[in-house]
Amino acid sequence: LVKVKYMPILLGGLHNLHGIKAPAFIPAKAKFMIRDCKMIAEKRKIKFKFNSYFPIKTLNLMRGALIAQEDDFQKFYIDKIFDSIWHDGLNMNDQNIIDKVLKNNEINPKTFFLRASSQSVKNLLKKKTDEAFEKGIFGAPTFLINGKVFWGQDRLEFAIAEASK
């Protein structure tokens, strides 16, 4: 059994630290990124729908992941946000929709985002993004296993093999 430890970061911030442009913003790469996501989903038999509102501004969602981690429901939160974006195709750039998703999952959006907008949570997300940069992480998904970096969904098999050692 592999234990997963999620590390919320700001991907845009990480890209800025490295001075790189995300594939989603390079038209030639974006076309293949979408195709590759669909191919991986089909191969893994995962229900997937590329979100027409992509890219999603994840700043508050990632801060929320830190609150969910603190309150010990991070996996639940991540699964619900992931499903909202990649299964249901919701516009998670719209705070009203985010609030509905949270309410439907018995999370009070007002208090949740009050906590998420605190300076301590802002600082923690920046710190985690800086730590990822220092470890050489430059994109997502990235898996750190036994001190080795595995980047991208196409490296998942190698990450699982390393975790099995």
Side-chain angles (χ1 to χ4, degrees):
L1 183 66
V2 176
K3 183 178 179 181
V4 175
K5 181 181 175 190
Y6 294 102
M7 187 169 127
I9 60 165
L10 277 176
L11 189 56
L14 189 61
H15 287 155
N16 288 340
L17 289 169
H18 280 288
I20 59 177
K21 192 172 186 179
F25 299 110
I26 303 170
K29 286 185 177 183
K31 175 175 70 172
F32 291 102
M33 180 188 76
I34 294 167
R35 185 202 65 185
D36 289 352
C37 287
K38 290 177 180 178
M39 283 190 324
I40 291 291
E42 286 174 19
K43 179 180 179 182
R44 301 272 182 216
K45 296 179 177 47
I46 298 168
K47 183 182 171 198
F48 175 81
K49 174 182 175 184
F50 198 86
N51 192 298
S52 62
Y53 299 102
F54 184 83
I56 304 295
K57 296 174 189 128
T58 61
L59 176 64
N60 286 328
L61 299 175
M62 298 312 289
R63 288 178 183 164
L66 292 171
I67 299 302
Q69 185 177 50
E70 187 177 296
D71 290 357
D72 202 29
F73 66 95
Q74 186 181 37
K75 181 168 181 351
F76 172 81
Y77 174 83
I78 290 170
D79 287 349
K80 294 301 176 184
I81 298 301
F82 182 91
D83 288 351
S84 296
I85 296 170
W86 300 114
H87 288 179
D88 305 328
L90 299 180
N91 182 0
M92 297 298 278
N93 291 314
D94 183 328
Q95 190 62 47
N96 292 323
I97 293 173
I98 295 169
D99 289 352
K100 281 183 185 177
V101 168
L102 294 175
K103 284 179 191 174
N104 288 342
N105 289 287
E106 299 179 15
I107 300 168
N108 181 318
K110 190 171 187 173
T111 57
F112 190 74
F113 283 115
L114 269 174
R115 289 175 63 200
S117 65
S118 72
Q119 194 59 51
S120 63
V121 170
K122 291 177 182 180
N123 291 345
L124 181 58
L125 186 57
K126 182 173 181 346
K127 179 182 175 202
K128 288 185 177 289
T129 302
D130 290 342
E131 288 171 355
F133 173 75
E134 290 165 10
K135 291 177 181 174
I137 295 171
F138 58 89
T142 295
F143 307 93
L144 285 172
I145 301 163
N146 300 331
K148 296 178 183 174
V149 174
F150 298 88
W151 174 74
Q153 79 277 0
D154 55 334
R155 307 305 192 294
L156 185 56
E157 292 173 41
F158 299 107
I160 291 169
E162 182 65 30
S164 300
K165 290 182 180 179

